[in-house]
Amino acid sequence: MSDRALQHRRVHNLLLIQKLLASRDASSPFTLVLDSVEQSAGPLVRHYIHHAKASKMDVVFVSYESLKPPADVTALIKARGKDPSAVRKEIERCVSSSRRTLLILDSLYPLTTHPSLPLSSFLSSLPSPTTSLLAIYHTDVPLPSPSLSLTTTTTSSIYTPSPLTLLRYLATTVLTTHSFSQMLARKRAKEKSRPDPLFGTDEGKEGVLVGVGANDKRACVVEMEHRRKSGRGVEEWFFLPEVNGSGGVVLLEDQELYRRSDDREGRSDGVEARVELATFELGLTAKQRRDREGVVLPYFDAQKGAGGGGGRILYDMGVEDDFDEEEDEI
């Protein structure tokens, strides 16, 4: 990709993620957030609430599993154990048609497992021209197996798509959160042509639920899949620091620690300790790399002669060398 195209993609996608976080111009009526125990959606939700309050939007938080709601929430709806129809009525009372509102569902699990709820109809009724929906789906929470009893819904459930497939189809934007430390570990493994490291339950170890480096406090990595009105999809990876942290949202490839291939911070394989014990510098500075690239090696001079004559041996005799006629004839 040329430098001009790269710069255009960088500026365009950064403006897009800022527009999505601020919920401007109804850019994404339904945003689906996919998280796991390795990286929760908490930092991303806090960014949404922070931008909503800066834009003077109302924030309605529907709590299915959160014991304590995030700060700066306008209205809190405790939906745990309630029927979806009752929850919808409470949402309608809290949402005003004259004010822009950000509606947050902290978990879609109770809705996806409800036996008689049409999920697509329920979610489609929540967004409006003044209301944007942000819903969280936990990818590592297993869904209950379908009932094998002969009911009227058994035949239809066989051919219906999975809840995650349906949610991806309905959402205009899908944001997947990843741990920054684990992304660095995967990048180091890829640079060394090693298989990707496994974390948490993927390790297959008994008793291990959360992997090393989960929920990095420095920042999280967000994988974006945005669907425009034209149907064209936009995919990008972002580095999202904490709301009160230093710096702003940048492309993952532009993040300093991720961009450096010889990154020393966050190493867990003992390489940093061995480097600090060395009595000399193992790496090269930028000036040393430029000086090394500017060195003209002797065999380059031999290639400047007329073509077809073969190679030439260039040798400058020193003071301590003996002159040998037989070797010089060769």
Side-chain angles (χ1 to χ4, degrees):
M1 183 180 294
S2 62
D3 294 341
R4 183 176 180 180
L6 181 61
Q7 182 65 18
H8 175 75
R9 180 178 66 87
R10 178 182 293 108
V11 174
H12 178 271
N13 291 343
L14 285 176
L15 291 176
L16 177 59
I17 190 63
Q18 293 290 349
K19 187 177 180 180
L20 294 175
L21 291 175
S23 302
R24 293 198 304 263
D25 304 329
S27 54
S28 179
F30 177 26
T31 301
L32 175 65
V33 180
L34 305 179
D35 72 343
S36 63
V37 294
E38 301 299 328
Q39 180 58 60
S40 69
L44 182 59
V45 172
R46 288 191 288 269
H47 268 272
Y48 266 92
I49 296 176
H50 174 75
H51 284 80
K53 300 305 292 184
S55 303
K56 298 181 179 180
M57 296 177 58
D58 292 338
V59 179
V60 178
F61 191 85
V62 181
S63 173
Y64 280 100
E65 61 182 18
S66 301
L67 299 178
K68 183 179 179 180
D72 299 328
V73 171
T74 307
L76 173 64
I77 300 176
K78 296 182 178 180
R80 183 179 180 87
K82 294 183 180 180
D83 189 75
S85 59
V87 175
R88 181 186 299 175
K89 292 180 181 179
E90 293 190 37
I91 293 175
E92 292 175 354
R93 287 197 298 264
C94 296
V95 173
S96 175
S97 59
S98 60
R99 289 181 57 85
R100 295 172 56 201
T101 305
L102 174 63
L103 178 61
I104 302 177
L105 304 181
D106 68 343
S107 178
L108 289 172
Y109 183 81
L111 300 178
T112 56
T113 56
H114 196 277
S116 60
L117 175 68
L119 183 61
S120 58
S121 301
F122 180 83
L123 295 177
S124 301
S125 64
L126 299 180
S128 67
T130 59
T131 304
S132 299
L133 175 62
L134 178 70
I136 302 173
Y137 182 87
H138 307 310
T139 57
D140 51 2
V141 177
L143 296 174
S145 58
S147 176
L148 298 179
S149 60
L150 297 177
T151 62
T152 56
T153 59
T154 302
T155 306
S156 60
S157 64
I158 297 176
Y159 302 99
T160 54
S162 64
L164 182 56
T165 303
L166 181 61
L167 292 172
R168 282 183 172 274
Y169 176 78
L170 295 174
T172 50
T173 303
V174 180
L175 302 177
T176 307
T177 57
H178 303 272
S179 171
F180 180 56
S181 297
Q182 295 177 2
M183 291 296 296
L184 289 178
R186 293 188 180 96
K187 183 173 183 291
R188 289 194 297 269
K190 183 178 180 181
E191 291 174 348
K192 298 178 181 179
S193 299
R194 296 177 179 175
D196 289 345
L198 301 178
F199 301 97
T201 55
D202 294 336
E203 299 181 26
K205 298 181 180 178
E206 184 178 358
V208 176
L209 298 178
V210 182
V212 177
N215 295 294
D216 196 336
K217 296 182 179 180
R218 295 173 295 181
C220 73
V221 176
V222 177
E223 179 185 0
M224 180 191 71
E225 300 176 22
H226 177 66
R227 186 185 307 152
R228 294 186 171 276
K229 294 180 180 179
S230 61
R232 185 174 65 91
V234 180
E235 298 181 0
E236 191 57 86
W237 292 73
F238 296 96
F239 174 83
L240 190 72
E242 284 290 340
V243 175
N244 299 325
S246 59
V249 183
V250 297
L251 299 187
L252 180 61
E253 61 189 38
D254 294 336
Q255 210 281 332
E256 182 180 1
L257 294 180
Y258 189 83
R259 186 176 65 248
R260 288 188 304 178
S261 59
D262 56 345
D263 170 47
R264 296 181 181 180
E265 184 173 352
R267 294 191 179 185
S268 58
D269 54 0
V271 176
E272 183 177 6
R274 293 195 295 270
V275 171
E276 291 181 352
L277 293 176
T279 57
F280 53 89
E281 180 64 35
L282 297 177
L284 294 176
T285 63
K287 183 178 182 301
Q288 291 172 341
R289 291 192 185 95
R290 290 194 300 267
D291 295 342
R292 183 181 64 178
E293 294 174 357
V295 174
V296 180
L297 299 177
Y299 57 81
F300 284 132
D301 293 336
Q303 298 175 3
K304 295 180 181 179
R312 294 185 296 123
I313 299 177
L314 302 179
Y315 178 72
D316 295 332
M317 293 185 59
V319 179
E320 67 280 359
D321 293 336
D322 295 333
F323 182 79
D324 192 339
E325 295 183 356
E326 295 181 357
E327 291 183 358
D328 291 342
E329 291 178 358
I330 299 176

